[in-house]
Amino acid sequence: MAGSSDKGRYGSTRKNNLMGIPVQRRVFIPAALIIMGLALAGIVVPSQLESGAKVVQDAIANGMGWFYLLAMNVFLIFALYLIFGRYGDIRLGGVDRRPDFSSWGWYSMLFAAGTGVGLLFYGVAGPVSFFANPPFGEPQTEQAARDALVHSFFHWGFHGWSMYALVGLAMGFFCYNRDLPLTVRSAFYPLLGERVNGRLGAAIDVVAVVGTLFGVAVSLGLGVEQMNTGLAETFSLPQNKYMQVGLIGGVTAIATISVVTGLDQGIQKLSKLAMVTGGILGLYVLIAGPTQFLFHAMIESVGSYIQQIPSRGTYAEAFKSPDATQWQNEWTLFYFAWWISWSPFVGMFIARISRGRTIREYMLGVLFVPTIVSMVWLTIMGGTALYGELYQGSNLAPTITSNAAKGTFQFLQNFPVPEWVSLGSMMVLIATVAIFFITSSDSGSLVIDIITSGGDLNPPTSTRVFWAILEGVVASVLLVAGGLKALQSVATIAGFPFVILLLLMCLGLLVGLKQYRRHRYELDGERLGIGERK
């Protein structure tokens, strides 16, 4: 196995038993106590939790918004460097390792775990919101519609996926090529040495676990709001917090069963099913909607997005009055903080399923395939909604402003099709949201369990169940405490401490790749064309 000769120098993360269960007590106990403490606060003093979270969110967004933008641009530049640089031929797991999963299974899992719930929620709501309330220019004009899709591409595009790709690469490289445990702390070995096996390393993993769980809880909250809205619109079921908590409980139970069955039988099959149902819905909208307009909009919007990546990536609303900066805080910074809080979860999950791929193949796949799929989805859903706003008088904007979750279902009801077709499309949307909901929950539980068990790729079933249930509890508490606003506040807060760690992680990855390339003959047992050239 690649890296076996280096194992003694890199050491290992020792595990301890907790009630007979092999876990990292320095990680498991503090992370669980922090999360349960915040959940308890949401139950006992929900209004104080909501207001306190909003204060912290505003302080971070107003004071450190520039730092988020700078960091996200660093991630994208570094990702492009790895694609075109000299480390692209390094294979995760060594020269003889082949991919553990087919390309179709790989793409399905990384996309379903990465952005599925969010794209379903904001596929219509995002572009229409930007059309009605743009950061610059006149609202509800043709130019606002053009800009709306570009804003959406920017929020769901290369910047976010470059960060996911780097986190996954760092953890996968140090695990598969340097024989370190598959935990976040391992990526810091070149910077911290053996201290990653002590309290400092444990603190890094605790931050990752807490951020991951709250990031997943945000997505679960968004997903259940949309599911509840769909059930209310389709079957006239009640739409309230009690119903949403019940839905979280039901889906969490299914997710728990899925995570127990494992990666191959549970998560992979559900991810493929989610891609199929989502594809059916997208194809229906493409055919039933303004098809010719959508193809033109796709070409135009992708071109505009590529041209505007530098300007969008550095737009900080510096020359607006302080009272007019809420758009950037509520949208771009919320999205980026949400991506960051998800990065330990999605990054480790991608690392778990990417062994056997070269760095270049890995980076191209993770960076481009989900981004392209996201742009196609946003064009079909958001572009059709914008066409209706501009030329058909659909007037979705007021509904989305008051209830973003309801917008997609009202959007599907606007098509000139028989009622049973409209009903069927809404049922497909509900099913797709539920499947993405389940894959996010069980993938998050698996990743958190891997971290708290010291990098064990097959962690104990009992702790998987514990984290799956705790995710559901936290999502329920956040919904009861303050709904969507509370979810956005928590995403921003959870992302901030980890963005600093991510920048250091990139530095550690660069140092580790240089060391590996220099000693590749020693580590792999043979030269791979470039030998020991520095």
Side-chain angles (χ1 to χ4, degrees):
M1 179 177 177
S4 58
S5 63
D6 208 36
K7 190 171 185 176
R9 180 157 56 92
Y10 274 72
S12 61
T13 303
R14 295 176 297 175
K15 288 195 285 187
N16 304 284
N17 286 334
L18 179 65
M19 299 176 63
I21 303 172
V23 297
Q24 281 288 318
R25 287 194 295 183
R26 285 182 174 178
V27 179
F28 188 100
I29 294 176
L33 290 177
I34 291 171
I35 293 165
M36 289 190 292
L38 290 172
L40 181 61
I43 295 172
V44 177
V45 286
S47 59
Q48 288 87 338
L49 177 65
E50 179 187 4
S51 59
K54 185 64 170 63
V55 170
V56 177
Q57 178 202 20
D58 290 343
I60 293 174
N62 293 328
M64 299 299 295
W66 63 270
F67 184 66
Y68 275 109
L69 293 174
L70 178 63
M72 296 299 284
N73 284 295
V74 169
F75 298 143
L76 179 58
I77 293 170
F78 187 39
L80 294 175
Y81 167 73
L82 291 176
I83 291 174
F84 298 106
R86 58 182 180 174
Y87 304 114
D89 63 334
I90 296 176
R91 187 175 295 275
L92 297 177
V95 62
D96 296 324
R97 185 76 193 193
R98 289 297 172 262
D100 294 342
F101 299 96
S102 67
S103 295
W104 167 238
W106 184 54
Y107 295 141
S108 298
M109 285 190 286
L110 69 88
F111 183 79
T115 58
V117 171
L119 276 174
L120 287 171
F121 190 91
Y122 286 110
V124 172
V128 173
S129 296
F130 304 151
F131 170 75
N133 181 29
F136 43 76
E138 293 296 321
Q140 300 186 5
T141 61
E142 289 187 357
Q143 186 59 48
R146 292 190 186 95
D147 290 337
L149 280 181
V150 178
H151 288 312
S152 299
F153 290 176
F154 174 64
H155 289 150
W156 294 97
F158 292 122
H159 282 81
W161 279 102
S162 66
M163 181 184 55
Y164 281 175
L166 291 172
V167 175
L169 178 61
M171 288 190 277
F173 170 76
F174 285 105
C175 175
Y176 303 135
N177 296 73
R178 305 308 297 260
D179 276 349
L180 286 168
L182 186 62
T183 60
V184 178
R185 72 171 77 185
S186 296
F188 294 84
Y189 189 91
L191 305 179
L192 301 178
E194 292 299 329
R195 285 180 292 175
V196 298
N197 296 321
R199 294 180 179 177
L200 187 56
I204 291 172
D205 281 346
V206 168
V207 172
V209 169
V210 174
T212 296
L213 192 137
F214 279 100
V216 174
V218 169
S219 292
L220 301 188
L222 294 176
V224 80
E225 281 195 350
Q226 193 169 28
M227 285 178 62
N228 190 191
T229 300
L231 292 171
E233 293 287 314
T234 308
F235 302 108
S236 300
L237 293 178
Q239 186 174 358
N240 53 46
K241 302 299 183 185
Y242 300 104
M243 185 68 179
Q244 291 168 9
V245 171
L247 286 171
I248 288 177
V251 176
T252 299
I254 299 173
T256 302
I257 296 172
S258 174
V259 79
V260 169
T261 60
L263 193 61
D264 293 323
Q265 297 301 316
I267 299 173
Q268 181 178 197
K269 291 183 177 180
L270 283 173
S271 299
K272 290 180 178 179
L273 179 60
M275 294 294 289
V276 171
T277 56
I280 291 171
L281 182 62
L283 185 61
Y284 161 72
V285 175
L286 176 64
I287 295 173
T291 307
Q292 184 177 0
F293 167 81
L294 294 177
F295 282 111
H296 285 98
M298 180 71 184
I299 297 298
E300 182 175 326
S301 299
V302 170
S304 297
Y305 167 58
I306 293 173
Q307 295 175 48
Q308 297 179 40
I309 286 177
S311 61
R312 297 296 171 109
T314 54
Y315 177 66
E317 291 187 326
F319 295 97
K320 282 192 174 183
S321 65
D323 295 334
T325 60
Q326 292 304 306
W327 191 95
Q328 187 78 341
N329 291 353
E330 292 180 359
W331 288 106
T332 301
L333 296 182
F334 160 63
Y335 274 119
F336 283 173
W338 190 14
W339 283 91
I340 290 166
S341 66
W342 262 55
S343 62
F345 150 47
V346 180
M348 180 174 290
F349 184 75
I350 295 174
R352 176 67 179 82
I353 64 177
S354 299
R355 182 165 49 184
R357 301 184 184 275
T358 66
I359 288 180
R360 184 169 292 109
E361 176 189 8
Y362 167 93
M363 294 299 298
L364 285 171
V366 177
L367 188 58
F368 283 91
V369 173
T371 297
I372 292 171
V373 173
S374 299
M375 290 192 294
V376 170
W377 175 263
L378 288 165
T379 300
I380 292 174
M381 304 299 286
T384 301
L386 291 171
Y387 184 88
E389 294 292 288
L390 280 172
Y391 307 118
Q392 296 177 331
S394 58
N395 200 28
L396 281 174
T399 300
I400 288 175
T401 301
S402 61
N403 184 353
K406 189 176 180 179
T408 304
F409 292 97
Q410 182 175 324
F411 161 77
L412 292 174
Q413 291 174 328
N414 287 341
F415 287 96
V417 296
E419 184 177 350
W420 67 270
V421 176
S422 179
L423 178 64
S425 67
M426 290 192 289
M427 292 177 66
V428 171
L429 176 59
I430 295 170
T432 307
V433 171
I435 298 169
F436 275 127
F437 191 158
I438 294 168
T439 56
S440 295
S441 178
D442 57 17
S443 302
S445 302
L446 177 63
V447 165
I448 291 173
D449 207 15
I450 290 174
I451 297 175
T452 56
S453 63
D456 188 349
L457 299 184
N458 296 291
T461 300
S462 56
T463 50
R464 294 190 203 183
V465 173
F466 170 80
W467 291 114
I469 293 173
L470 191 56
E471 284 171 6
V473 170
V474 171
S476 300
V477 168
L478 290 175
L479 278 175
V480 172
L484 183 59
K485 293 297 183 181
L487 296 173
Q488 291 178 326
S489 297
V490 168
T492 303
I493 296 168
F496 180 70
F498 203 73
V499 69
I500 301 171
L501 294 180
L502 290 182
L503 291 170
L504 294 174
M505 181 184 290
C506 290
L507 178 60
L509 174 61
L510 183 60
V511 173
L513 288 171
K514 287 183 176 179
Q515 293 173 346
Y516 185 83
R517 189 171 183 271
R518 187 167 60 246
H519 301 293
R520 188 183 295 186
Y521 179 79
E522 172 191 349
L523 297 172
D524 283 335
E526 65 178 299
R527 298 183 185 275
L528 301 181
I530 56 176
E532 299 179 357
R533 186 179 59 195
K534 297 183 180 180

